[in-house]
Amino acid sequence: DQHRGWFQVSLIPSVALQDQAPFKSVLTHGFVMDGEGRPMSKSLGNVIAPEEIIKQYGADILRFWVASSDYGGDVHLSPEILKGLSDSYRKVRNTFRYLLNNLGDFDLAQNAVPYKELFEIDRWALHRLQEEIREALAAYESYQFHRVTSRLVSFCNAELSSFYLDVVKDRLYCDPAESPSRRAAQTVLYRVADALLRLLAPVLSFTTDECWRFMRHADSVSLSDLPAADDALMDVALMDRWKTLFALRESGLAELEKARTAGLIKAPREAKARLRVKGSDLESFFKSYEKQLPMILGISQIELVQDGSVNGVGVNIEKAGGAKCARCWIYKMDVGAVKAWPDICKRCADAIELEEVKR
């Protein structure tokens, strides 16, 4: 009916009278089907009214469903689909909540850390962000809205929430408020929030506008331009190095799960990883990341040893030594080193004392 009635009735007179189409392009979709694959119609009584969706879930979930649907074929809508989208939306919203909660004392003009002074993991996150910006813009240009939503939801869940945001918690919560390490993490969080809010504004217009105002912007996010990928924030050589580190992380997580199942540990922070490395080049590579490896694996301690019997790298999980710091929850050998703070490590004690001096 759309094609026969609306498009042709518009097209035929325009071509006849002006020798051109009345539109630059037309985007159309298949039938809207219910959960059982039947076309929605009043006669079948299986129509879900937009008002019902908005009342139960909010307008952004309705917009999210539209943008997430692959309109190249029939479009499906059911309570189960809406519930799944609501769960995905909640994960994205929680990502924004985490970002904003950690930016309350951050001012981009005063506190931003230059790119060259960021940690390597921070530069990794910015590189991945530029890739997502580039892919999202290409998808928007080709009207593949479902690619925008699927990629950005995956980015929020798999790479931000499950890795980067989890890893930088220690710097955000335990390092001194004004420390370069914490400000570096906040710099990345700000740039991630800024880009994602603008990329998702056409879809989640109400949510992104609410978050945008929490970033102390006076105008609506819809009045901002979509972000552009910045080649200066991309580092191919760094990404190649981190492929090796992520391969180690996958092996380490598998071994941690085995250790947890066997009852050796209850949580990753209780663990120490013994890395058995074959070859001087590989040993030298991991040695250069030795201080970062516990953070990457989400554990407390690391030990690097040469072992010619392994194929590349082997990971053994042991119980971490020392005691658990009550502040950072990392097992360390220097817990209680500062008498005034018997249940925390020296690094946390120093951070607390520094904050008290400032007060």
Side-chain angles (χ1 to χ4, degrees):
D1 292 344
Q2 287 278 341
H3 293 82
R4 289 194 302 268
W6 179 255
F7 297 133
Q8 287 200 62
V9 166
S10 300
L11 178 64
I12 294 171
S14 181
V15 172
L17 295 173
Q18 301 179 12
D19 197 28
Q20 64 180 15
F23 34 70
K24 293 180 179 179
S25 59
V26 173
L27 188 151
T28 183
H29 59 77
F31 282 105
V32 179
M33 317 290 278
D34 65 14
E36 299 177 9
R38 302 174 302 171
M40 286 192 175
S41 67
K42 293 180 181 178
S43 60
L44 290 176
N46 61 346
V47 174
I48 301 178
E51 292 84 356
E52 296 177 18
I53 300 173
I54 294 172
K55 184 177 180 180
Q56 183 173 357
Y57 295 103
D60 270 356
I61 296 298
L62 181 60
R63 299 175 66 90
F64 196 32
W65 167 71
V66 172
S68 300
S69 300
D70 184 355
Y71 58 81
D74 292 332
V75 180
H76 294 264
L77 178 61
S78 68
E80 292 74 23
I81 291 173
L82 289 171
K83 185 179 183 304
L85 285 171
S86 180
D87 291 341
S88 295
Y89 163 81
R90 191 174 297 110
K91 292 175 182 177
V92 172
R93 186 180 177 88
N94 286 341
T95 299
F96 284 133
R97 177 178 293 173
Y98 180 102
L99 295 171
L100 298 177
N101 280 346
N102 284 284
L103 292 172
D105 66 338
F106 180 80
D107 182 277
L108 185 67
Q110 296 182 14
N111 306 128
V113 175
Y115 176 77
K116 291 183 178 180
E117 296 177 22
L118 296 175
F119 288 37
E120 200 167 288
I121 192 172
D122 299 331
R123 299 199 298 272
W124 170 86
L126 289 179
H127 180 109
R128 283 292 300 113
L129 177 64
Q130 307 317 303
E131 291 180 333
E132 292 303 321
I133 291 172
R134 187 172 291 168
E135 289 295 324
L137 294 180
Y140 271 130
E141 289 291 337
S142 59
Y143 306 111
Q144 298 294 302
F145 308 118
H146 64 284
R147 280 179 48 209
V148 176
T149 58
S150 64
R151 284 195 66 104
L152 294 183
V153 168
S154 177
F155 180 59
C156 286
N157 293 338
E159 293 177 279
L160 291 180
S161 297
S162 297
F163 178 61
Y164 181 74
L165 300 184
D166 185 57
V167 165
V168 298
K169 276 194 298 189
D170 183 66
R171 285 156 59 191
L172 291 168
Y173 300 160
C174 299
D175 285 356
E178 300 290 340
S179 64
S181 59
R182 183 169 179 269
R183 291 306 191 193
Q186 287 180 305
T187 299
V188 176
L189 297 194
Y190 186 95
R191 297 195 183 283
V192 169
D194 176 84
L196 290 183
L197 287 173
R198 288 191 282 155
L199 285 174
L200 285 169
V203 179
L204 303 176
S205 56
F206 297 101
T207 301
T208 54
D209 208 47
E210 178 185 5
C211 294
W212 192 250
R213 295 183 190 280
F214 270 105
M215 294 181 73
R216 297 186 288 275
H217 293 293
D219 295 328
S220 169
V221 66
S222 298
L223 298 177
S224 300
D225 292 332
L226 288 170
D230 186 350
D231 291 340
L233 300 179
M234 304 185 77
D235 187 334
V236 175
L238 180 147
M239 299 303 285
D240 287 339
R241 293 195 299 273
W242 276 78
K243 287 179 183 178
T244 302
L245 294 171
F246 275 113
L248 174 65
R249 176 178 162 83
E250 289 299 316
S251 300
L253 291 178
E255 293 302 318
L256 282 169
E257 182 59 27
K258 291 178 184 178
R260 190 193 63 79
T261 302
L264 178 64
I265 59 172
K266 293 182 180 179
R269 287 297 192 189
E270 298 179 13
K272 169 184 175 181
R274 193 165 183 265
L275 300 189
R276 297 177 292 117
V277 183
K278 180 179 181 180
S280 58
D281 289 344
L282 205 53
E283 182 184 18
S284 177
F285 174 81
F286 286 119
K287 192 73 176 175
S288 66
Y289 286 95
E290 191 169 14
K291 291 183 178 180
Q292 300 179 56
L293 290 177
M295 168 196 70
I296 294 170
L297 295 175
I299 60 176
S300 288
Q301 297 158 12
I302 201 89
E303 181 184 3
L304 192 62
V305 297
Q306 269 277 10
D307 188 342
S309 67
V310 298
N311 182 20
V313 183
V315 182
N316 292 108
I317 300 300
E318 305 170 0
K319 192 81 171 177
K324 179 182 179 181
C325 173
R327 184 171 181 267
C328 67
W329 294 8
I330 299 174
Y331 283 74
K332 294 185 178 179
M333 307 303 293
D334 62 356
V335 171
V338 178
K339 292 183 179 180
W341 306 97
D343 59 347
I344 64 176
C345 66
K346 187 177 184 306
R347 169 241 189 167
C348 284
D350 290 343
I352 291 175
E353 290 179 353
L354 180 61
E355 293 300 320
E356 290 185 344
V357 169
K358 289 181 179 178
R359 293 194 190 103

